[in-house]
Amino acid sequence: MVQAIVFDAYGTLFDVHSVEKKAEQLFPGNGREISERWRQKQIEYTFLRQLMGIYEPFSKITTDSLRYTCKELELELGESDEQALRNEYLNLDVFQEAKGVLEGLNDYQRVIFSNGSRDMIEPLVSQSVISSLIHKIISVNDYKQYKPVPASYQSVLRNLNVKRDEVLFVSANGWDIIGASAFGFRTAWVNRKHSPLEELDVRPDIESADLSGVLKLLNHTD
């Protein structure tokens, strides 16, 4: 029996690539590439820091990965441009279907569990149209263990006082879904990019193109 629906934030509820518009404004012709490389480097840096045992909060990783991206693309990143792009992460667009799906889950505890540090994720949620629909925010920064290591998912059980099989974990990130599935959560993969499943011998309980698959899994729709 599912007791809590736990959502990843970046890429799942919030569109990280909504930063492209500002990036294109500041660096014409490079907006999309900045957005894509920045996000990829963000994820890579969380993995590397976790493996090296050198933790830094996601706010620093976001800055470091942006600086690397601009160096890689040979773009001059001034202080004001850096701040403008960082601020975009506090105002990301919410995916179109997110509000309706969350409203359809009134019978469940609705939680965000993110790699984002609280100085990033809390302002993002509070300014969004889904702020009143989220009961709790859990950040890996509280325990300094990045997803997908098992210790990070353990923080969900600690915060919500639930068992592993009472959690439905929802993410658009394949690596996150694999980690959560291996940990023992029920999982719903929001496969927005129609990517193949990772070859790691773990499968999600359901895969859908957007968040509406969560409602279907819980028999809230036909």
Side-chain angles (χ1 to χ4, degrees):
M1 183 69 178
V2 172
Q3 299 295 323
I5 316 293
V6 178
F7 294 88
D8 171 59
Y10 299 122
T12 303
L13 296 173
F14 296 93
D15 184 2
V16 293
H17 295 299
S18 61
V19 303
E20 181 183 328
K21 183 177 179 180
K22 175 60 74 173
E24 182 64 25
Q25 178 185 330
L26 296 174
F27 300 100
N30 293 281
R32 174 170 293 185
E33 195 161 18
I34 290 172
S35 176
E36 291 178 353
R37 293 196 189 193
W38 185 8
R39 176 58 176 163
Q40 188 58 43
K41 188 56 66 171
Q42 261 187 338
I43 296 170
E44 182 181 321
Y45 278 1
T46 62
F47 289 178
L48 287 172
R49 284 193 170 278
Q50 185 70 40
L51 287 168
M52 293 187 296
I54 308 174
Y55 182 89
E56 289 289 350
F58 198 69
S59 50
K60 184 178 189 312
I61 283 177
T62 298
T63 300
D64 291 345
S65 56
L66 174 60
R67 290 174 178 174
Y68 178 91
T69 294
C70 288
K71 288 178 181 177
E72 186 178 37
L73 295 175
E74 299 182 347
L75 300 171
E76 187 68 33
L77 181 68
E79 186 175 339
S80 62
D81 291 344
E82 179 183 296
Q83 189 60 50
L85 287 169
R86 278 178 45 84
N87 286 343
E88 290 297 298
Y89 257 85
L90 306 180
N91 297 279
L92 297 172
D93 293 343
V94 175
F95 282 107
Q96 185 176 7
E97 80 280 7
K99 186 172 185 290
V101 169
L102 289 167
E103 288 173 338
L105 297 170
N106 286 330
D107 296 337
Y108 299 92
Q109 189 173 187
R110 293 160 296 194
V111 178
I112 285 177
F113 174 44
S114 177
N115 272 346
S117 44
R118 290 195 176 273
D119 59 343
M120 291 183 67
I121 196 67
E122 289 182 347
L124 173 62
V125 174
S126 67
Q127 62 80 39
S128 74
V129 297
I130 63 172
S131 60
S132 64
L133 302 172
I134 299 298
H135 298 120
K136 191 179 188 67
I137 296 172
I138 303 171
S139 169
V140 302
N141 196 56
D142 297 343
Y143 303 95
K144 297 178 172 50
Q145 296 286 335
Y146 278 114
K147 296 186 288 181
V149 299
S152 67
Y153 300 109
Q154 185 69 40
S155 67
V156 172
L157 306 183
R158 189 179 297 121
N159 273 269
L160 303 182
N161 193 29
V162 293
K163 299 176 182 178
R164 299 184 192 204
D165 60 1
E166 293 175 334
V167 173
L168 174 61
F169 182 75
V170 184
S171 180
N173 298 299
W175 52 267
D176 199 6
I177 283 292
I178 293 301
S181 297
F183 182 73
F185 289 160
R186 298 183 68 187
T187 54
W189 183 24
V190 182
N191 189 3
R192 297 187 185 279
K193 296 182 178 180
H194 306 287
S195 301
L197 182 68
E198 300 290 351
E199 295 293 337
L200 292 169
D201 303 318
V202 182
R203 302 189 65 84
D205 289 277
I206 191 172
E207 176 183 339
S208 62
D210 59 33
L211 289 162
S212 62
V214 177
L215 295 177
K216 293 177 182 178
L217 178 63
L218 296 170
N219 298 317
H220 281 238
T221 63
D222 295 334

